[in-house]
Amino acid sequence: VAIDPQTGGVLAYYGGENGLGLDYARVERLAGSTFKPFAVLAGLQETPPVGLGTTFAGESVPGLRNDEGASCTHCDLKQAMTLSNNVVFNSLAKQVGAQAVADAARSAGIATPLDHPDERIALGNKEITAVDLAGAYATIAASGVWHQPHLVASVVTADGRVLYQSPSDGERRFSDRVARNVIETMLDVAPHDDLALPGGR
């Protein structure tokens, strides 16, 4: 699923090969590391905020490990996001509170239930849909303004009468400054994983 951050319009949608079968874009699946930005979002909205330069211990501990190459003795939130360090984000969620992470995700646009969260919510232990995730990421990309994801922009008759127009007004969910900081944590993720993004994105 790809969503235009400025309108909420769905630009691309793939639910699977069988158009009459299960729609995988709307199936709830574990979010995994895609949920880490919402922990950053929660931290930035604390008083005082947990800034990107805040450092945490990042070595694996009993009961919680990092993937190979993702550990660090101490790393800040941007480094932790780049490495996808589980220990750091577990610690961040413990510090700000699991409910704060759930609330931050909800404010960005995650609509699927996030009931009874614990600190592992930052590691994506809740099930969400691809539609929800794309919509929430679009809110971050739109500087904190949420738009209702939609497939139909408008319905117009042959003689030009507009029967339906999708909502154009967005709803500010968090500040531009907070959104920019969340984006900053994600900038090095794709290059670190040797994933080239076209157009310098």
Side-chain angles (χ1 to χ4, degrees), residues 4-5 39 69 72 107-108 110 135 137 146 151 170-171 177 187-188 190 195 199:
D4 183 343
C72 56
S107 73
I110 299 294
Y137 272 42
W146 174 83
L151 289 162
E171 180 181 313
R177 178 189 59 80
L187 291 179
D188 294 335
L195 297 174

Side-chain angles (χ1 to χ4, degrees), residues 65-97:
R65 65 175 186 81
N66 297 309
D67 287 341
E68 185 176 347
S71 291
C72 56
T73 304
H74 288 91
C75 54
D76 61 34
L77 291 181
K78 180 168 182 175
Q79 293 167 323
M81 184 74 79
T82 301
L83 297 172
S84 195
N85 184 293
N86 292 332
V87 175
V88 168
F89 281 93
N90 191 77
S91 298
L92 173 61
K94 191 176 291 187
Q95 179 174 325
V96 302

Side-chain angles (χ1 to χ4, degrees), residues 5-170:
Q6 303 309 316
T7 66
V10 176
L11 302 176
Y13 187 104
Y14 181 70
E17 294 180 0
N18 183 354
L20 299 177
L22 194 61
D23 181 354
Y24 285 100
R26 293 193 180 272
V27 169
E28 294 180 9
R29 291 185 283 183
L30 289 175
S33 291
T34 62
F35 223 75
K36 287 174 179 171
F38 304 123
V40 174
L41 177 59
L44 289 167
Q45 295 182 96
E46 289 288 291
T47 305
V50 181
L52 306 194
T54 307
T55 59
F56 294 85
E59 298 288 354
S60 296
V61 295
L64 184 61
R65 65 175 186 81
N66 297 309
D67 287 341
E68 185 176 347
S71 291
C72 56
T73 304
H74 288 91
C75 54
D76 61 34
L77 291 181
K78 180 168 182 175
Q79 293 167 323
M81 184 74 79
T82 301
L83 297 172
S84 195
N85 184 293
N86 292 332
V87 175
V88 168
F89 281 93
N90 191 77
S91 298
L92 173 61
K94 191 176 291 187
Q95 179 174 325
V96 302
Q99 189 60 54
V101 177
D103 292 344
R106 179 84 61 229
S107 73
I110 299 294
T112 39
L114 302 170
D115 300 332
H116 311 297
D118 59 38
E119 57 265 18
R120 290 179 187 253
I121 189 174
L123 309 183
N125 72 345
K126 295 294 184 182
E127 293 186 339
I128 61 173
T129 68
V131 172
D132 262 8
L133 186 64
Y137 272 42
T139 302
I140 296 169
S143 302
V145 176
W146 174 83
H147 292 86
Q148 176 68 52
H150 58 274
L151 289 162
V152 178
S154 62
V155 178
V156 183
T157 63
D159 60 359
R161 287 181 299 116
V162 177
L163 300 181
Y164 169 79
Q165 183 71 48
S166 65
S168 57
D169 293 337

